[in-house]
Amino acid sequence: MATVGKVITCKAAVAWEPGKPLCIEEVEVAPPKAHEVRIKVVATGVCHTDWEYLFETGKGMKFRPFPLVLGHEAAGIVESTGPEVTRFSPGDKVIPLFLPYCGECERCLSPKTNHCKKNWTNMQAGVLADGTSRISCKGQQVYQFLGVSSFSQYTVVPDTSVAKIRSDAPLDKVCLLGCGVSTGYGAAINAGKVEKDSSCAVFGLGAVGLAAVMGCKVAMARRIIGVDINPNKFEKARQFGATDCINPRDYSKPIQEVVVEKTGGGVDYGLECVGSPAIMNAAFESTRDAWGTCVIAGWTETEVMSISVEKLLMGRTLKGTYFGGWKSVKDVPKLVDDYMNRKLKLDEFITEKLPLVQINKAFGLLKSGKSIRTVISLQDS
């Protein structure tokens, strides 16, 4: 290919500073170095974490350096590979991942966790293994959000953070498996281990929450209560399997008390999919004593959760999950297969499709609650 080994000039949505809209710029994407893969990004989802980092950095999110290219939920095609890359070839369909899987470390070899730390510190800081980014604009380095940066037509990621997927997978659908859907679905299936005929309450009915509802449904839960302050999401939640939907604003008492009353003592599983300490506490207190399990899937990096120790001592379990417990590179191709075999919904999450030049509109739709997932088409811009 004509671009192999050369710098690629392309379009990207650059965040120059916190709190300001993204700017569509021409950027230069350097060739991949050892153990790196350069990807032509075809489609990317717009996740709440992207919005939160841009507009609430320093609040619920740790500060990361600017300028940077956001985006971490994507799918694309391998354009070229760096030295020592053996598992990928140009033309492969792939999903880049913010969570690595080296397959060799103690954590990768353990069934207890998916928390591989290969290149972790650097990727969290927006750079690759050598401490630099592969993206630049107007003569300066542009950091790569979580090591991915899918709001760019091309990006470079470590080969331990890429999942090769089947060639017939539609990239504008399976991109959602790069973050939100996998996280919520796995929160129910892997972290919660929701059981047949159980009762569940899912707090927050965005993409992560709806995926959690879907996971509870697949696990054959008997009752699935969706909780959200936006009643416009209730119809969609029922499509995914919710049996009840409740709005905390319709009640004068705390929502956990409402859930406990409606279920005669609390649910077996509470899943928090917002990232709010107050809602985390509500999800925990909505579970039944003796055996209730609360799973925290909502993302926040700096905030502190407070719970009643007595409620914990009475037999409840509180646990967190990252990327739904999936071993990223290893498990994402299986999730793609499940979608292709109609065992997993993806199309139903997508409420808008927009070109890259309308990325700020996508953020607006997300924040207004009018969108579950907007998918950005990178190559239409």
Side-chain angles (χ1 to χ4, degrees), residues 51 64 113 141-142 175 186 243 253-254 265 343 345:
W51 180 92
R64 292 176 175 83
T113 184
Q141 174 172 270
V142 177
C175 61
T243 56
K253 62 179 67 174
K343 296 178 181 178
K345 296 179 188 292

Side-chain angles (χ1 to χ4, degrees), residues 120-329:
W120 174 264
T121 301
N122 279 10
M123 290 178 70
Q124 290 293 308
V127 294
L128 302 188
D130 68 348
T132 66
S133 166
R134 301 291 165 267
I135 302 175
S136 59
C137 182
K138 299 179 180 178
Q140 69 179 111
Q141 174 172 270
V142 177
Y143 292 92
Q144 297 182 225
F145 186 56
L146 302 180
V148 179
S149 285
S150 59
F151 292 172
S152 175
Q153 291 178 320
Y154 286 84
T155 191
V156 177
V157 298
D159 62 356
T160 49
S161 296
V162 187
K164 181 179 176 179
I165 61 173
R166 54 196 284 174
S167 61
D168 59 343
L171 299 179
D172 61 340
K173 307 294 196 306
V174 298
C175 61
L176 301 189
L177 293 171
C179 181
V181 173
S182 298
T183 297
Y185 186 61
I189 298 293
N190 297 327
K193 293 181 169 56
V194 170
E195 297 176 330
K196 182 181 178 181
D197 293 328
S198 62
S199 58
C200 307
V202 177
F203 290 75
L205 297 174
V208 175
L210 290 175
V213 169
M214 178 171 66
C216 294
K217 175 73 172 178
V218 168
M220 301 177 68
R222 172 181 49 82
R223 189 172 186 185
I224 305 168
I225 302 171
V227 182
D228 203 289
I229 59 173
N230 183 352
N232 294 328
K233 295 181 178 180
F234 292 170
E235 181 180 352
K236 179 76 76 171
R238 291 188 177 96
Q239 291 175 17
F240 279 92
T243 56
D244 311 62
C245 292
I246 55 178
N247 183 347
R249 291 177 175 170
D250 291 341
Y251 301 89
S252 58
K253 62 179 67 174
I255 191 61
Q256 54 264 49
E257 294 182 17
V258 175
V259 173
V260 168
E261 285 183 9
K262 283 182 173 291
T263 55
V267 290
D268 300 309
Y269 302 93
L271 298 103
E272 196 277 349
C273 302
V274 179
S276 161
I279 299 174
M280 293 174 186
N281 189 58
F284 177 71
E285 293 191 356
S286 74
T287 60
R288 184 178 299 272
D289 66 7
W291 62 70
T293 295
C294 176
V295 178
I296 307 300
W299 186 250
T300 181
E301 294 178 332
T302 62
E303 296 180 274
V304 177
M305 178 185 178
S306 176
I307 62 169
S308 163
V309 174
E310 181 186 19
K311 292 183 182 297
L312 190 63
L313 292 173
M314 289 299 103
R316 293 176 177 85
T317 298
L318 175 65
K319 62 197 307 185
T321 184
Y322 190 70
F323 195 57
W326 303 107
K327 289 184 181 287
S328 58
V329 172

